[in-house]
Amino acid sequence: MMTAAAEEAGLERNSSPLSGLKGIVEAILFVSGEPLSVDRLQGVVEGVSRAELMSALRALQADHAVEGRGLQVVEVAGGFQIATRPDCAPWIKRLEKAKAGAKLSRSAMETLAIVAYKQPLVRAEIEQIRGVDTAGVLKTLLDRRLIRIVGRKDIPGRPIMYGTTKQFLQAFGLKDLASLPALRDIKDLKEAEQFILPNVDLEVEEGSSEQVHEAVVHG
């Protein structure tokens, strides 16, 4: 027996399993602005099974894969999100030209790469690899919510350990950390230009400002 919410949504299972559901999911993804997991979608669309939601999501992906569409449904950062297609990037860049995005310097990219591939690790370990002080760079990455404090290492002084965030996955279009490219496939970071971050919602984690200050002072 269907719930009232499912009936109101027009999700009659006997007529068409995807009747109305694709449109509802598409609308939710459109207004979300961040990747939504299937579990989170299921909490919003009551009376619908996980299998039905996955079918609707895959159907949406197929719909947006049609030639000529400017949007796509991508699986990223543990959820699904509506995003622009890569071949539309030149026109989007023209729109974005007037409002320059947050830039990551080469040193910030190098530090972020070290954290991504070696996490969790402490500041001293990062500096041992880079050979330079990283206090300022770490603060930038913490401010951008690309890295976070994941705990303290069980050694004298109990230094702070760092790891990447959900926003990191979202910014680089990764489904999870297992999706990171192999190191051998990455070009020398010294040849990289400044990286412009895409516009992603940077969620402020509870106590993050205090953690940033503590990491810079004591990290």
Side-chain angles (χ1 to χ4, degrees):
M1 185 175 181
M2 290 198 305
T3 65
E7 290 175 353
E8 290 175 5
L11 307 180
E12 291 84 0
R13 290 180 172 81
N14 293 332
S15 56
S16 173
L18 297 181
S19 176
L21 182 55
K22 280 198 304 180
I24 293 169
V25 172
E26 184 176 33
I28 293 171
L29 292 180
F30 179 77
V31 301
S32 170
E34 64 177 1
L36 295 179
S37 67
V38 177
D39 288 339
R40 191 168 175 188
L41 283 169
Q42 202 168 5
V44 176
V45 188
E46 297 178 353
V48 176
S49 70
R50 186 182 183 87
E52 288 171 320
L53 275 176
M54 285 303 303
S55 294
L57 286 164
R58 297 307 181 198
L60 270 179
Q61 286 181 315
D63 289 349
H64 284 80
V66 175
E67 186 176 357
R69 296 294 296 267
L71 300 175
Q72 59 181 338
V73 178
V74 296
E75 192 171 356
V76 59
F80 290 83
Q81 183 178 32
I82 292 179
T84 55
R85 299 191 68 81
D87 51 3
C88 295
W91 289 270
I92 296 172
K93 285 181 180 177
R94 292 180 188 179
L95 176 65
E96 295 292 321
K97 210 168 186 180
K99 47 177 184 177
K103 292 182 178 180
L104 282 185
S105 66
R106 187 172 59 202
S107 61
M109 281 294 293
E110 290 174 353
T111 301
L112 183 57
I114 292 169
V115 175
Y117 283 95
K118 301 289 187 179
Q119 63 184 301
L121 74 173
V122 302
R123 174 178 156 187
E125 293 168 331
I126 299 171
E127 292 177 349
Q128 185 177 14
I129 295 172
R130 290 203 63 224
V132 296
D133 181 84
T134 59
V137 175
L138 287 173
K139 182 181 184 303
T140 296
L141 296 176
L142 285 165
D143 287 340
R144 301 293 183 201
R145 307 290 185 263
L146 294 172
I147 65 171
R148 64 190 179 94
I149 296 169
V150 298
R152 290 183 177 274
K153 194 165 185 176
D154 191 18
I155 59 175
R158 294 182 56 78
I160 291 170
M161 296 189 298
Y162 299 95
T164 53
T165 64
K166 178 181 176 181
Q167 283 77 15
F168 164 77
L169 296 175
Q170 187 177 351
F172 289 89
L174 300 171
K175 179 180 178 181
D176 49 37
L177 290 176
S179 303
L180 281 167
L183 284 172
R184 63 176 177 275
D185 295 332
I186 298 179
K187 292 182 179 179
D188 188 351
L189 286 171
K190 293 181 180 179
E191 299 175 0
E193 298 295 331
Q194 284 190 327
F195 177 78
I196 299 179
L197 288 174
N199 292 326
V200 298
D201 291 335
L202 300 180
E203 298 176 350
V204 179
E205 298 176 3
E206 184 179 356
S208 59
S209 59
E210 290 81 0
Q211 286 183 327
V212 170
H213 176 73
E214 183 184 6
V216 174
V217 176
H218 303 292

